[in-house]
């Protein structure tokens, strides 16, 4: 369960680190991408990117790691419990 939690946590943290870096480096292109994603889902774009904030980015990465770890750990525990009962 711990390994699964770490894998999911690191993966989600990495994805959000990439997102935060993209917001810092290419916010205009990222906003166009978000608008496009809304449009292809037949939605009016309503979300606008805000200015990059390093403290916010650090919290984003930390919290997504923690949440990812918890989800991965819970998933693995449930899987292990079900797997034992099925055999």
């Amino acid at each position: 369960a711990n390994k699964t939690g770490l894998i999911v946590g690191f993966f989600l943290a990495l994805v959000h680190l990439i997102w935060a870096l993209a917001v810092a480096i290419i916010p205009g292109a990222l906003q166009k991408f978000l608008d496009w994603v809304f449009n292809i889902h037949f939605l009016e774009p309503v979300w606008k990117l805000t200015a990059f904030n390093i403290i916010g980015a650090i919290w984003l990465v930390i919290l997504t790691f923690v949440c990812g770890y918890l989800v991965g750990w819970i998933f693995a525990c449930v899987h292990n419990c079900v797997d034992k009962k099925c055999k």
Side-chain angles (χ1 to χ4, degrees), residues 8-86:
V8 174
F10 280 125
F11 175 75
L12 290 180
L14 177 63
V15 168
H16 285 81
L17 176 63
I18 292 168
W19 172 263
L21 290 173
V23 170
I25 297 168
I26 53 166
L30 206 52
Q31 184 64 58
K32 288 180 183 178
F33 173 73
L34 288 176
D35 293 345
W36 175 75
V37 169
F38 274 105
N39 283 325
I40 65 171
H41 288 90
F42 308 103
L43 298 170
E44 183 177 335
V46 294
W47 294 45
K48 300 292 179 199
L49 292 178
T50 58
F52 178 77
N53 176 330
I54 188 67
I55 301 300
I58 291 168
W59 274 111
L60 174 68
V61 173
I62 291 170
L63 289 175
T64 53
F65 171 79
V66 170
C67 291
Y69 177 86
L70 290 172
V71 168
W73 186 84
I74 291 168
F75 174 82
C77 286
V78 170
H79 173 271
N80 291 341
C81 183
V82 169
D83 191 47
K84 287 178 185 174
K85 290 181 181 177
C86 290

